[in-house]
Amino acid sequence: MIICVDLDSTLLKNDLSLSDYSLNVLNKCQNNGHLIVINTARNYDRTIKIAKLINADYFICNAGSQIFDRDSNLIYNEPVPKGITSKVVNYVIGLCEILSLQTEKILYTNIDREKSDRVLFKEDDSYEYNAYKILCYNLKEDISKYLDEFGLEYVNYENSKWGRISYKPLNKLFGIKKVLEKLNLHLSDVIYFGDDVGDISCIESCGTGVAVENALPCVKEVSDFVCDSNENDGVAKFLAMKFNIE
């Protein structure tokens, strides 16, 4: 069985920690032959510490754009090439209040925000970066026709003014499918845990889809089960019950 889990607000507590109880349950699941796969919108640098902590067999980053095995070997990589990124950002940056661009190592932005890990674009920036996602806040017009030219799409986050530009096939479900291809397994072999809109297609498509109690209502509606919240070790409690782990 593949145990595939989102990180923020799903496996991790609100302070981004992981309890000893959750670590113990995940370890026992692996000892019983189950594989652990992380599926997150985080980049590699913000994922690797957790991946090592739980000894994840695979971790999917940037919402399907990058996939690594447990030894951090890159097994899939699909950024938006810098030439296309430059054209898109130059077109879109005047249509939104905030634009951020995730490269392999750095999250760039056009707004100086205190206590942020983002790096400001240069004044004369050409925006020629290989981008794993382009984030827009308060986009003022429909850009779908423009993005079609490059095979890109804009996805608005639920109940938010934020949205993401990335390649059309790339999302969390795409990432799971790539891992399953490598393992010669099927979606029916996956238990998926999530909390947000980006998890919906995975919850709907996998053999067992589980929403944490703190998930958005639209995520709970499509899930097979709702477990306890991230603050109360919901993922671990569900796994312990399903696999009779004490």
Side-chain angles (χ1 to χ4, degrees):
M1 183 70 72
I2 304 292
I3 299 165
C4 190
V5 60
D6 172 53
L7 291 182
D8 297 290
S9 300
T10 299
L11 180 64
L12 301 180
K13 294 179 179 292
N14 293 339
D15 64 2
L16 305 183
S17 67
L18 195 59
S19 72
D20 289 340
Y21 172 74
S22 287
L23 287 171
N24 182 55
V25 170
L26 290 172
N27 181 59
K28 287 183 176 180
C29 285
Q30 286 181 306
N31 289 341
N32 290 337
H34 305 296
L35 300 182
I36 306 294
V37 178
I38 291 171
N39 200 350
T40 180
R42 291 182 173 207
N43 66 5
Y44 173 88
D45 287 346
R46 296 185 63 234
T47 306
I48 183 60
K49 183 177 180 180
I50 301 299
K52 288 187 177 296
L53 180 65
I54 68 174
N55 198 28
D57 295 280
Y58 294 92
F59 52 106
I60 302 162
C61 300
N62 290 307
S65 298
Q66 285 186 306
I67 305 173
F68 300 86
D69 66 15
R70 71 164 64 214
D71 297 316
S72 291
N73 295 312
L74 186 62
I75 62 175
Y76 184 81
N77 187 48
E78 190 68 40
V80 178
K82 59 184 180 181
I84 294 177
T85 298
S86 177
K87 291 178 181 178
V88 170
V89 173
N90 274 295
Y91 181 84
V92 173
I93 198 166
L95 302 176
C96 58
E97 290 182 28
I98 305 172
L99 187 142
S100 298
L101 185 157
Q102 178 69 64
T103 68
E104 187 169 3
K105 295 289 184 180
I106 299 172
L107 183 59
Y108 291 98
T109 187
N110 64 333
I111 298 293
D112 188 8
R113 301 166 71 187
E114 291 185 5
K115 299 181 180 179
S116 171
D117 59 353
R118 294 165 173 80
V119 175
L120 276 174
F121 290 120
K122 300 173 186 176
E123 284 189 22
D124 59 347
D125 211 314
S126 63
Y127 313 117
E128 291 190 348
Y129 304 97
N130 291 326
Y132 290 95
K133 57 187 173 183
I134 300 167
L135 301 172
C136 303
Y137 180 79
N138 199 18
L139 188 63
K140 299 171 185 176
E141 67 178 58
D142 185 356
I143 59 172
S144 57
K145 289 185 178 179
Y146 177 78
L147 296 179
D148 279 344
E149 178 183 346
F150 307 104
L152 302 172
E153 67 177 348
Y154 177 79
V155 178
N156 197 71
Y157 295 130
E158 182 80 4
N159 299 322
S160 173
K161 292 185 177 182
W162 282 101
R164 184 190 78 245
I165 297 172
S166 59
Y167 276 123
K168 288 183 178 180
L170 297 182
N171 54 35
K172 287 187 171 183
L173 181 59
F174 176 89
I176 295 175
K177 288 179 177 178
K178 295 301 288 188
V179 171
L180 293 174
E181 283 178 16
K182 186 174 181 63
L183 298 172
N184 196 27
L185 294 173
H186 307 282
L187 286 169
S188 58
D189 299 313
V190 180
I191 305 175
Y192 189 92
F193 295 89
D195 74 293
D196 208 343
V197 172
D199 301 305
I200 287 178
S201 61
C202 301
I203 286 175
E204 289 180 319
S205 302
C206 291
T208 304
V210 186
V212 285
E213 177 58 40
N214 53 288
L216 293 173
C218 59
V219 179
K220 292 181 182 179
E221 286 174 6
V222 301
S223 64
D224 300 307
F225 300 96
V226 176
C227 66
D228 208 340
S229 70
N230 65 318
E231 282 290 282
N232 292 323
D233 298 313
V235 171
K237 287 179 179 177
F238 184 91
L239 293 172
M241 177 185 66
K242 182 173 181 61
F243 297 121
N244 297 315
I245 294 172
E246 297 182 357

